[in-house]
Amino acid sequence: MNFIVNFLFSMFSTIAFSVITNIPRRAFLACGFTGAAGWMTFWILHTYFHQNIGISNFSGALMIGLISIFFSRIRHMPVIVFNVPSLVPLVPGGPAYMAVRHMMNQQFTESMEAVVTVLVTSGAIAIGFMFTNLIERALKRTRTNFQIK
């Protein structure tokens, strides 16, 4: 049951953000699936395999990047159309809020712990997208090297 709830809510939040950011309608379902797949990757690794936040977010971002490339080729749209809304479930909004809240309450130790969580999460997401970009370039290079001239 937890799988279904997590999948549906992450898909709904991604589609809702797609509407807000004015993504073309024909990409809504693909964006929703991409965001849900990224969140489920993060959630399964973090909950069931007890991986830390950095590895889980890196894997989720890598999954989002790879599926975004796949859908961009199928739908003939830019990759960023699928990347941006799909990141919404992975964004560390809760820890960022808690960092500011603890800072305002002058609980500096708790605030710094939350700041580190935000930095690790956002860094892992950025590195995940960087790896996706490297994978895409390597595949393009290998494809062009093996084509008959």
Side-chain angles (χ1 to χ4, degrees):
M1 184 66 174
N2 279 340
F3 286 101
I4 295 169
V5 169
N6 272 286
F7 186 85
L8 289 178
F9 276 108
S10 60
M11 188 172 196
F12 175 74
S13 67
T14 303
I15 291 173
F17 194 74
S18 298
V19 171
I20 291 170
T21 55
N22 204 19
I23 300 295
R25 288 186 184 180
R26 63 188 178 110
F28 283 171
L29 196 58
C31 285
F33 178 77
T34 306
W39 173 255
M40 292 304 290
T41 303
F42 164 80
W43 183 70
I44 289 170
L45 286 175
H46 190 64
T47 304
Y48 293 106
F49 292 103
H50 307 291
Q51 295 296 320
N52 65 12
I53 289 233
I55 293 172
S56 301
N57 274 301
F58 170 78
S59 302
L62 191 66
M63 179 68 72
I64 287 172
L66 293 174
I67 294 175
S68 294
I69 292 169
F70 173 75
F71 279 128
S72 73
R73 300 276 165 85
I74 288 177
R75 303 278 181 166
H76 303 290
M77 300 172 88
V79 176
I80 198 162
V81 168
F82 303 101
N83 273 350
V84 172
S86 301
L87 278 178
V88 169
L90 292 181
V91 170
Y97 168 76
M98 292 308 290
V100 173
R101 182 175 178 188
H102 288 309
M103 187 69 73
M104 291 295 119
N105 291 334
Q106 296 182 351
Q107 299 169 334
F108 299 114
T109 305
E110 292 88 353
S111 176
M112 287 301 115
E113 288 175 7
V115 166
V116 167
T117 302
V118 169
L119 291 176
V120 166
T121 301
S122 55
I125 290 170
I127 292 171
F129 277 134
M130 192 171 65
F131 267 79
T132 304
N133 192 10
L134 291 173
I135 291 170
E136 182 182 24
R137 285 184 183 187
L139 289 175
K140 280 183 181 178
R141 186 172 296 138
T142 356
R143 190 179 317 141
T144 56
N145 285 343
F146 286 116
Q147 286 180 349
I148 299 173
K149 296 178 182 177

